[in-house]
């Protein structure tokens, strides 16, 4: 078995893809003609976004899901992106529309970590590699 995708349900798939292209330099891999599902080239695991309507249709008969939102508390999950240029990348994401959640700090083990929220309210960690 292989972990292949993480899919986030968002209001506007196209705008979300473009945010991640501008903020983090990922490339758009795919978007449906209906613009209700799209993927980024982000490494071995694909980051994907689907419209809220597509999510509701996928879970028809189930209890649905909690929509992410900048006004609400962050969900109990995050995406983490590793970089050697954390200050530059953190600021580029803010310039692209991310909101600072917790500023960059150095952890006791030497790693630098900062947290942002994307325009949908999704929590993003930007961090340096963990040194051995």
């Amino acid at each position: 078995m292989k972990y292949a995708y993480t899919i986030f349900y968002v209001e506007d798939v196209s705008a979300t893809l473009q945010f991640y292209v501008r903020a983090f330099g990922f490339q758009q891999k795919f978007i449906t003609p209906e613009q209700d599902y799209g993927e980024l080239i982000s490494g071995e695991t694909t980051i994907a976004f689907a419209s809220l309507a597509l999510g509701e249709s996928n879970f028809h008969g189930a209890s649905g899901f909690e929509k992410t939102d900048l006004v609400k508390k962050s969900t109990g999950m995050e995406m983490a992106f590793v970089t050697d240029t954390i200050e530059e990348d953190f600021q580029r994401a803010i310039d692209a529309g991310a909101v600072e959640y917790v500023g960059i700090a150095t952890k006791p083990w030497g790693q630098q970590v900062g947290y942002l929220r994307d325009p949908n309210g999704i929590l993003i960690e930007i961090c340096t590699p963990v040194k051995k």
Side-chain angles (χ1 to χ4, degrees), residues 52-130:
L52 296 172
L54 182 59
E56 292 294 338
S57 72
N58 286 343
F59 306 128
H60 182 72
S63 61
F65 55 89
E66 185 73 28
K67 177 183 154 197
T68 58
D69 188 320
L70 273 172
V71 177
K72 296 179 186 175
K73 274 188 177 181
S74 180
T75 59
M77 64 184 84
E78 67 183 58
M79 285 192 279
F81 301 138
V82 179
T83 181
D84 290 318
T85 55
I86 188 168
E87 291 89 0
E88 176 183 316
D89 294 330
F90 198 85
Q91 186 60 51
R92 185 176 69 230
I94 291 170
D95 292 344
V99 176
E100 184 174 318
Y101 193 60
V102 175
I104 299 169
T106 303
K107 298 294 185 180
W109 53 90
Q111 182 186 33
Q112 290 184 287
V113 178
Y115 297 92
L116 305 162
R117 291 184 76 187
D118 84 352
N120 302 291
I122 297 168
L123 185 60
I124 300 167
E125 174 183 327
I126 308 292
C127 61
T128 58
V130 175

Side-chain angles (χ1 to χ4, degrees), residues 13 17 28 30-32 35-40 46-50:
V13 173
L17 290 171
Q28 182 175 305
F30 170 79
I31 189 165
T32 62
Q35 298 193 348
D36 62 353
Y37 177 82
E39 299 176 352
L40 296 169
T46 299
I47 302 171
F49 302 94

